Amino acid sequence: MSSLVTGCTGYPRYLNFPFDGGGRGLNSRASDLEPQVTSNYIVFISDRNGSQDVYLFDAQQRQLIALPGLNALDEIASHPSISENGRYVVFASSRQGKSNIYVYDRQTEQKRNLTADLQAEVRNPIINADGTQIAFEIAQDGQWDIMIYDLSGNPLKL
């Protein structure tokens, strides 16, 4: 994965990481999709283990970070996002035709479904830099709208 990324400070950064045929690095033979970059981390979706899972790469240490309890065999993950400090990962997941938004806390190694009580389709989550708010799209009443939740899963009124 070599790409030109524009950071928040307005200048582009060229990321060039070596290929790892064993799938232990950022670049592999698998389909690596939807990368999202913070200062030290790259979160992305990959099918390198036979299912569409979330992966986290530490750009400074140049290695994948284990995410115990995050990926499930019966889920199809998409659209990952990560807080600036790398503690929280949010992503969309589809299981048995139902879409949900999950937040994973790397410190506690816990995954929580933020949208389990919503009777609507959800997609494209993103977490803010300090990891306190999660925005995502929700399909209700025949149209797509934006919802913003706090980290606890409570909708925010704007």
Side-chain angles (χ1 to χ4, degrees):
M1 179 181 293
S2 291
S3 63
L4 187 65
V5 177
T6 302
C8 294
T9 57
Y11 62 90
R13 295 182 291 163
Y14 183 72
L15 304 176
N16 188 11
F17 295 97
F19 174 79
D20 181 344
R24 296 173 305 272
L26 181 63
N27 296 314
S28 72
R29 296 185 197 285
S31 294
D32 296 331
L33 311 167
E34 303 171 348
Q36 197 254 338
V37 180
T38 65
S39 58
N40 296 326
Y41 301 100
I42 302 169
V43 64
F44 62 99
I45 300 297
S46 180
D47 65 357
R48 60 182 68 189
N49 284 330
S51 61
Q52 196 167 309
D53 294 328
V54 177
Y55 286 81
L56 182 60
F57 185 79
D58 184 322
Q60 288 185 327
Q61 301 295 320
R62 295 182 165 261
Q63 64 185 17
L64 286 173
I65 297 173
L67 301 170
L70 185 141
N71 296 305
L73 292 174
D74 62 343
E75 291 179 342
I76 300 172
S78 66
H79 298 93
S81 179
I82 189 164
S83 60
E84 187 68 28
N85 67 1
R87 178 173 176 177
Y88 299 105
V89 175
V90 298
F91 62 99
S93 182
S94 176
R95 174 187 276 167
Q96 298 176 341
K98 170 91 171 100
S99 62
N100 280 295
I101 305 296
Y102 290 87
V103 62
Y104 177 79
D105 183 338
R106 287 186 47 229
Q107 184 173 326
T108 64
E109 298 180 351
Q110 296 294 310
K111 176 173 82 171
R112 195 166 28 90
N113 186 340
L114 292 178
T115 58
D117 295 332
L118 291 177
Q119 298 301 313
E121 188 175 347
V122 293
R123 67 182 183 190
N124 300 327
I126 189 163
I127 192 165
N128 67 344
D130 65 6
T132 59
Q133 297 178 356
I134 298 151
F136 57 91
E137 294 178 66
I138 181 169
Q140 288 180 318
D141 303 322
Q143 69 179 31
W144 285 97
D145 293 310
I146 304 284
M147 287 204 72
I148 301 174
Y149 275 25
D150 66 17
L151 195 56
S152 299
N154 301 310
L156 297 176
K157 306 273 187 220
L158 299 177

